[in-house]
Amino acid sequence: MTEKNFYITTPIYYPSGKLHIGNATTTIACDVLARYHRLMGKDVFYLTGLDEHGQKIEAKAAETGLTPQEYVDGMAVGVKALWELLDISYDKFIRTTDDYHETVVAEVFEKLLEQGDIYLGEYSGWYSVSDEEYFTESQLAEVFRDEDGNVIGGVAPSGHQVELVSEESYFFKLSKYQKHLEAFFKAHPDFISPNSRMNEMLKNFIEPGLEDLAVSRTTHTWGVPIKSNPKHVVYVWIDALLNYATALGYGQHDTTKFEQFWTGQTEIKSWTDENGKVWEFNVASNVNHMVAKDILRFHSIYWPIILMALDIPLPKRLVAHGWFVMQDGKMSKSKGNVVYPEMLVERYGLDPLRYYLMRSLPVGSDGTFTPEDYVGRINYELANDLGNLLNRTVAMINKYFNGQVPSLSAGQTDFDADIEAVATQAIADYHKYMDLVDYPRALEAVWSLIARTNKYIDETAPWVLAKDEDQKGNLGSVMAHLAESLRVVAHLIAPFMMETAASIFSQLGLGEVSAMEDLTFGQFPENVTVVAKGTPIFPRLDMDEEIAYIKDQMAAGKPATEKEWVPEEVELTLNKPEIKFEDFDQTEIRVAEVIDCQKVEGSDKLLQFRLDAGDAEHRQILSGIANFYPNPEELIGLKVQIVANLKPRKMMKKYVSQGMILSAEHDGKLTLLTVDPSVPNGSVIG
Ligand code: MSP
């Protein structure tokens, strides 16, 4: 039975920074799937959104001086604008700060507590704020020890620092579901794709044993408070994972969508264990999640267990793709290797970006983004292979047949059967790989047809056929095969490149791109006229210039504050000869508080200071700054810096000055160097 409905979700991203090409990858990948299934006649619900709670967001908001709510509201506007730019056809955008979601999360928590799946305990462990995750010592990528060998800190696998945190916490009894989860994996071996990742989860995380999971926090307040104990907020991952259900109305008044896309169509998956016990699982036939490998563990372990505890059918499929990395490793602003989608769309248009990301989508292992590859694929695969084929075809149909597309049976050449066979194979492969969400292979299948069609032009040499009136029928058949091949190609690329598919359709005179449930080669409609003059769908790019452009843009994204400091020796401008450190060290500079200050009788320049510089008694210093401080009494209480060990000298015959008050000279003016009032009198400066 084929399912009529299709539910696809992206991860909900953290709005803790501008989204980059990595986040765009999963969102476009889900968009392609949503569009593909719509074109295959299904009723699709495509969900995306933002994961807005947690300590990281709270900290980020504080940095910017906004409340967390103001901060996430601003970020949500930016993310929606990006999805609009990338023409993402989502049906709903969920934010974990949405009221309906928060209400259900709080209720679900209470339900799990009442059921005994959640209990209150004490947690102590290594916590990474950036990952919002606790780690055991053995999970840390690096540990720091003191002289006695005790662990005093460390670094999480993500590279973020961890700190030792102890807090009262609620725990989810994952251990109770260990066997169930193992059995589910056995009963539904297609749950995770690619399949290799399924084994990775089972062997590395599930079979070694599941520890109970801390599911509340008291270290921050930006989250959903626990109803029965509001000093705790719900752990961000429990809050986040539930979005997939609440977005459809789970736990709310109107559950129509939840029934249509989740509970409405289910199937039983079963497995018999070594003791003959039969395990049965109810799987929601239309529920599909897509994530990258970084969050596979949350989705393949915690999420099914939450669903089991809530008695909700389990997801049909969890697609986990690899990461896009850069030639110098992970994308990072400080390395200056982050690529933002806006720049690429602005310069080259949307379709090349969607094509590039999906053609290179890291399915199993990680993929590398390189500017060379980006420009190369646009030039060779889009402009040359596809763009030229369309141009030549439209031009030839105009030239030889006045724009009227001839019938496929107008004649026959030796190569017709082969191009038909290649097209049929390409369509079959394409569907097979689209179903596996292996876009690189699906697109490869399409490009095999494009390559075959280009070769077909060389083989049939229409310009030769055109010279012989007897070959008119065969020439017609060649033109019809070219047009038909392009029609098939346009259908197949439509989920990836909407604009290009539409242009091919319109240049071939076919109107709008239609559904493709029954797509086969050989259905080009009768009486169709191509456009009189086709326009190139992809401009050819100057490789060197464009590679340099992308590289510049990547480097420009490097934040100024994080630019590397190159410690080279620079020339100094000095007013006095250089001295040795030991010479400087002879000078005792101290913090002193002004106890009294007045003008010196008989002098325009001098002020007489009484100072507490931490000596047994107050000392007196005369300073020539009267011109700059006409109201000396205002200086009382200030803390200044003095040279304390300067040999005392007599001034104006009767005054002894015991030191010197430091001031800075600028444009002939003097300003006292003051010290923060919290610094005790007599503190030594150095
Ligand atoms: N908020 C959690 C997800 C909760 S879902 C219930 C989260 N957010 S995230 O902002 O860190 O997004 C992680 C996801 O972004 C990855 O799983 C992947 O889909 C996408 N990517 C982020 N960087 C990526 C690459 N470099 N390459 C490919 N995908 C990347 O985790």
Side-chain angles (χ1 to χ4, degrees):
M1 182 178 64
T2 51
E3 295 82 22
K4 224 183 99 312
N5 298 303
F6 189 81
Y7 181 40
I8 176 71
T9 68
T10 70
I12 47 172
Y13 307 104
Y14 291 126
S16 47
K18 201 165 139 59
L19 299 193
H20 53 63
I21 220 155
N23 312 108
T25 300
T26 316
T27 310
I28 295 174
C30 289
D31 188 57
V32 168
L33 206 58
R35 287 176 186 274
Y36 171 69
H37 284 284
R38 281 190 204 112
L39 289 168
M40 294 298 283
K42 290 199 186 155
D43 202 346
V44 172
F45 196 94
Y46 174 13
L47 175 72
T48 189
L50 290 177
D51 188 357
E52 300 185 341
H53 289 130
Q55 198 167 1
K56 195 159 59 175
I57 304 288
E58 194 178 75
K60 201 76 199 182
E63 254 174 49
T64 50
L66 298 172
T67 64
Q69 191 62 56
E70 286 167 345
Y71 174 77
V72 294
D73 285 349
M75 294 303 285
V77 172
V79 172
K80 282 184 180 169
L82 175 61
W83 296 158
E84 199 176 319
L85 181 74
L86 304 185
D87 206 355
I88 303 300
S89 61
Y90 61 81
D91 295 288
K92 181 163 181 151
F93 190 96
I94 187 171
R95 301 176 53 188
T96 51
T97 53
D98 288 338
D99 286 348
Y100 68 88
H101 173 80
E102 291 188 345
T103 308
V104 178
V105 169
E107 280 165 7
V108 162
F109 199 94
E110 292 304 311
K111 178 177 157 71
L112 295 172
L113 203 53
E114 275 160 35
Q115 275 175 205
D117 280 311
I118 288 180
Y119 63 93
L120 188 60
E122 168 88 15
Y123 195 92
S124 171
W126 297 104
Y127 188 66
S128 155
V129 175
S130 304
D131 299 306
E132 307 238 1
E133 213 186 330
Y134 276 107
F135 297 93
T136 60
E137 205 177 293
S138 60
Q139 285 174 327
L140 295 177
E142 204 183 329
V143 289
F144 308 138
R145 295 176 190 278
D146 65 11
E147 290 147 7
D148 303 327
N150 301 314
V151 179
I152 50 166
V155 178
S158 59
H160 295 116
Q161 291 268 355
V162 293
E163 55 190 292
L164 192 63
V165 172
S166 257
E167 56 175 331
E168 180 188 82
S169 176
Y170 286 93
F171 287 85
F172 196 118
K173 275 191 202 162
L174 294 187
S175 45
K176 176 177 153 189
Y177 292 93
Q178 159 108 24
K179 271 261 144 250
H180 297 68
L181 194 65
E182 268 183 60
F184 173 59
F185 270 51
K186 301 266 162 61
H188 187 21
D190 298 330
F191 173 44
I192 302 175
S193 61
N195 231 259
S196 53
R197 297 211 187 269
M198 184 108 178
N199 230 6
E200 185 185 315
M201 289 296 122
L202 198 60
K203 296 279 170 250
N204 296 353
F205 299 106
I206 305 175
E207 285 177 0
L210 296 176
E211 277 179 31
D212 290 354
L213 176 71
V215 288
S216 74
R217 297 287 184 265
T218 50
T219 41
H220 63 98
T221 55
W222 182 238
V224 179
I226 289 171
K227 267 191 183 168
S228 52
N229 191 354
K231 74 169 195 267
H232 289 255
V233 292
V234 176
Y235 175 41
V236 70
W237 269 100
I238 300 287
D239 173 7
L241 286 164
L242 281 167
N243 93 87
Y244 300 135
T246 61
L248 292 181
Y250 170 75
Q252 295 145 71
H253 184 63
D254 182 1
T255 54
T256 327
K257 288 268 183 272
F258 190 63
E259 278 150 30
Q260 183 186 350
F261 290 98
W262 202 301
T263 52
Q265 205 164 16
T266 58
E267 55 204 87
I268 300 286
K269 302 274 179 190
S270 63
W271 176 66
T272 310
D273 69 15
E274 20 341 308
N275 305 318
K277 178 175 172 176
V278 181
W279 296 81
E280 286 195 336
F281 298 92
N282 206 11
V283 166
S285 309
N286 304 317
V287 175
N288 301 273
H289 302 301
M290 199 184 307
V291 298
K293 58 175 192 178
D294 53 332
I295 53 173
L296 180 58
R297 195 158 52 93
F298 294 96
H299 285 78
S300 62
I301 299 176
Y302 306 146
W303 185 223
I305 290 181
I306 296 171
L307 292 170
M308 283 177 192
L310 294 173
D311 202 18
I312 299 176
L314 302 171
K316 173 74 175 276
R317 199 136 67 123
L318 176 56
V319 178
H321 61 76
W323 268 16
F324 264 117
V325 292
M326 298 300 166
Q327 269 167 328
D328 52 352
K330 230 179 128 175
M331 265 186 256
S332 114
K333 277 193 197 163
S334 54
K335 281 190 197 159
N337 67 359
V338 182
V339 185
Y340 293 107
E342 290 90 342
M343 173 269 287
L344 294 171
V345 174
E346 199 179 297
R347 182 98 175 163
Y348 311 105
L350 175 58
D351 282 5
L353 174 71
R354 290 178 60 112
Y355 173 75
Y356 174 86
L357 292 177
M358 297 303 107
R359 178 91 196 226
S360 327
L361 181 74
V363 177
S365 47
D366 289 346
T368 312
F369 177 98
T370 67
E372 290 80 359
D373 216 23
Y374 194 79
V375 181
R377 280 194 186 277
I378 297 181
N379 260 3
Y380 300 124
E381 290 158 19
L382 296 181
N384 271 11
D385 297 349
L386 179 57
N388 271 354
L389 176 61
L390 178 67
N391 255 355
R392 292 169 84 188
T393 302
V394 169
M396 288 192 289
I397 295 176
N398 272 311
K399 184 168 172 193
Y400 303 134
F401 293 93
N402 270 332
Q404 278 280 323
V405 183
S407 154
L408 278 162
S409 54
Q412 202 178 18
T413 74
D414 293 345
F415 311 99
D416 296 358
D418 193 47
I419 198 173
E420 283 167 28
V422 169
T424 305
Q425 186 62 47
I427 295 170
D429 287 348
Y430 169 87
H431 287 306
K432 179 175 95 188
Y433 290 122
M434 289 304 279
D435 209 49
L436 292 170
V437 196
D438 189 338
Y439 298 150
R441 288 209 171 89
L443 287 167
E444 229 166 75
V446 181
W447 256 253
S448 73
L449 174 58
I450 294 173
R452 182 67 194 85
T453 312
N454 275 317
K455 192 167 152 218
Y456 177 83
I457 299 181
D458 297 338
E459 289 166 341
T460 54
W463 49 92
V464 178
L465 297 178
K467 288 190 184 131
D468 182 351
E469 194 49 35
D470 291 347
Q471 295 287 343
K472 189 86 182 170
N474 292 343
L475 180 65
S477 167
V478 169
M479 292 304 115
H481 276 79
L482 294 178
E484 174 59 353
S485 181
L486 277 163
R487 184 188 71 92
V488 169
V489 166
H491 267 299
L492 301 180
I493 62 171
F496 297 88
M497 295 187 276
M498 296 77 78
E499 220 181 299
T500 305
S503 302
I504 298 177
F505 259 63
S506 109
Q507 293 202 26
L508 289 177
L510 292 172
E512 296 203 348
V513 184
S514 49
M516 60 164 154
E517 292 157 87
D518 315 310
L519 180 67
T520 51
F521 190 93
Q523 298 166 319
F524 202 92
E526 299 284 315
N527 297 322
V528 168
T529 312
V530 301
V531 288
K533 180 144 181 42
T535 39
I537 43 178
F538 296 103
R540 273 195 64 82
L541 305 174
D542 178 321
M543 291 284 287
D544 293 342
E545 209 171 284
E546 297 310 321
I547 290 166
Y549 178 82
I550 299 178
K551 285 185 176 165
D552 278 357
Q553 293 293 312
M554 282 158 69
K558 192 168 171 174
T561 49
E562 287 178 31
K563 283 217 169 96
E564 271 169 46
W565 170 250
V566 187
E568 59 193 17
E569 207 167 315
V570 294
E571 203 155 312
L572 305 173
T573 321
L574 298 175
N575 298 312
K576 294 182 182 173
E578 198 176 80
I579 56 165
K580 292 208 190 81
F581 174 75
E582 301 84 72
D583 299 336
F584 163 75
D585 204 35
Q586 302 277 312
T587 315
E588 185 175 333
I589 306 173
R590 274 202 234 152
V591 175
E593 184 178 335
V594 180
I595 304 297
D596 193 19
C597 182
Q598 48 190 295
K599 282 201 165 126
V600 172
E601 239 175 81
S603 164
D604 295 342
K605 279 196 188 160
L606 288 175
L607 288 181
Q608 178 191 13
F609 284 85
R610 197 146 59 79
L611 299 148
D612 175 358
D615 308 292
E617 287 178 57
H618 294 159
R619 65 164 80 194
Q620 171 172 284
I621 295 179
L622 265 59
S623 179
I625 55 171
N627 288 343
F628 312 106
Y629 292 95
N631 304 313
E633 62 286 353
E634 284 177 8
L635 298 178
I636 296 170
L638 270 188
K639 298 221 179 187
V640 294
Q641 306 183 21
I642 64 161
V643 178
N645 59 343
L646 203 62
K647 192 167 180 228
R649 63 173 168 147
K650 244 196 176 150
M651 296 171 84
M652 306 279 294
K653 297 210 175 108
K654 58 176 184 170
Y655 301 99
V656 178
S657 184
Q658 297 170 294
M660 187 179 106
I661 303 180
L662 296 182
S663 52
E665 191 190 334
H666 52 103
D667 303 332
K669 277 192 222 145
L670 292 174
T671 307
L672 285 172
L673 289 180
T674 54
V675 175
D676 190 276
S678 64
V679 184
N681 299 343
S683 304
V684 175
I685 299 174

